[in-house]
Amino acid sequence: MKYFIQTFGCQMNEHDSEKMDYLLQGQGYIPVKEVREADVIVVNTCCVREKAEQKFYSFMGRLKALKARYGKIIGVTGCIAQLEKNNIKERLPFVDFSLGPSNIHKITDAIDKALNNIDFMDFSENGYHPGIGSHCIHKKNGLKAFITIMKGCNNFCSYCIVPYVRGREISRHSKDILNEIKMMSDNGVKEIILLGQNVNSYNKGNNDLSFPELLETINEFNGIERIRFVTSHPKDLSPNLIECFGRLEKLCEQIHLPFQAGSDKILRLMNRGYTVKQYIDKITHLRMRCSDIAITSDCIVGFPGEDDDAFNETMELITLLEFDGIFSFVYSPRKYAAASNLPNDVTKEKALERLRHLQTVQKAITIKKNRAMEGKTFQVLVEGASKNSNEELTGRTRTNKIVNFKGKHDMIGSMTDVKIIKGYANSLKGEEP
Ligand code: SAH
Ligand code: SF4
Ligand code: F3S
């Protein structure tokens, strides 16, 4: 049997798809590169913004036509599956099985049932995917591995649907995580990326290792050379965690810390739990501990109540803090999320205009920061051949910046020093020093 997984959404979903890959291949299923060639098609979905949902439904349109012509088994997993659990069969009658994000480990059962013409649907929320993380070393190169340390979210930011589709926070036992990391390092993994909606609140209230203690323990592992984590919530970024930067030598100088808005009024409406000043203080503290830390962030424009003053405050924050990069979005009202009831006087045009302005300003800052790296030498984990040219290799600095440089293929998998000769908006060009 041949299968194809189409993944939408965040790293959580990317990793869930890796887990399904692992389970399917364990049962002899063969991955193919084209949807058309597959007998089984799994769509792992995201509903964080309306656009993500639209992409899903248009993809499903294509699958419907394919199924009508060739007969295929089609499954929908992930966040839209959870959101539409009561309506999925009605909206998409040609779907054979559907699994919420907590049930993806039942993928092979679901397909077996579908092969026997029995629909399989499971959206229970207390499931886990026990013990399959360790086998899911990052598809691309075997050097980097994601590992889920917690799932769900208790924050209920007023714009966000994630708590409604991923459920409440549950942390995995540190023993299980550490066992998996040991197996990963035995298999040649050099970089570990700890995953969760809000990794800073790992084991909050539990009698187990705290997040900084978990980092400290991983830092002692032989073979592991880099540790990263995603995503962090500013309100839970504790002084203890900040102190880990610059102290734990394997913890990379990089953090993704979404601020969402630069106005206290909007942050309150978003239910974010911090003020602009508190956010700035955390960044200042991070940079004091670790002066070369790269900081990226997320930001939403066009949130209800965002007048010109509020947007200007967001722009001031961006100019003041000079992030290495920002993922910016126009606010998209989501079912269940509290803000979907707020009247919004920001027009779509206005929001798009703000987004374009923000992105132009940020792009200049990103380029400035990347150019400041020119002439300096950085350690790069060489991850593979570059997409652009056969003679080039690609890798990342500890600050998570992509570097392309000329080099021999036998360098793939190594840590090597690369001198940066040019900084662009999305990558750096380097050469062997
Ligand atoms: N758990 C992570 C990421 C959540 S989703 C965190 O809290 O940081 C990723 C980003 O999508 C968010 O940081 C936010 O900037 C954006 N986002 C979430 N819901 C949104 C919505 N309804 N409209 C627009 N952007 C949204
Ligand atoms: Fe959504 Fe907020 Fe939770 Fe992030 S912290 S997943 S933005 S509710
Ligand atoms: Fe999307 Fe679900 Fe991730 S809604 S952003 S795939 S948690």
Side-chain angles (χ1 to χ4, degrees), residues 302-321:
F303 190 79
E306 187 189 67
D307 50 22
D308 285 343
D309 285 349
F311 178 65
N312 289 339
E313 285 183 79
T314 292
M315 292 311 300
E316 277 166 25
L317 187 71
I318 288 171
T319 319
L320 174 75
L321 292 182

Side-chain angles (χ1 to χ4, degrees), residues 35 52 133 167 291 378-379 411:
V35 190
S291 56
F378 295 89
Q379 183 209 60
M411 291 169 76

Side-chain angles (χ1 to χ4, degrees), residues 294-305:
I295 303 174
T296 52
S297 201
D298 290 348
C299 174
I300 297 175
V301 299
F303 190 79

Side-chain angles (χ1 to χ4, degrees), residues 205-251:
N206 293 351
N207 186 18
D208 189 3
L209 297 185
S210 67
F211 187 56
E213 285 166 345
L214 182 73
L215 293 176
E216 255 166 54
T217 315
I218 302 170
N219 194 56
E220 299 301 319
F221 273 67
N222 286 330
I224 301 299
E225 302 194 39
R226 292 177 166 192
I227 307 167
R228 306 185 194 278
F229 54 82
V230 76
T231 299
S232 303
H233 194 299
K235 82 175 160 50
D236 298 313
L237 185 74
S238 65
N240 264 350
L241 179 52
I242 294 177
E243 301 292 315
C244 290
F245 286 98
R247 179 165 70 84
L248 304 179
E249 71 275 12
K250 293 178 183 174
L251 182 62

Side-chain angles (χ1 to χ4, degrees), residues 7-14 16 44-49 52 78-80 101 160-163 165-166 197:
T7 308
F8 297 103
C10 64
Q11 281 138 321
M12 263 45 82
N13 259 20
E14 211 184 298
D16 285 348
N44 198 12
T45 59
C46 171
C47 51
V48 76
R49 283 171 292 275
C79 295
I80 295 182
C160 186
I161 199 168
V162 171
V165 289
R166 292 263 167 175
Q197 289 301 339

Side-chain angles (χ1 to χ4, degrees), residues 36-47:
R36 264 179 299 113
E37 295 169 21
D39 306 301
V40 179
I41 301 157
V42 182
V43 193
N44 198 12
T45 59
C46 171
C47 51

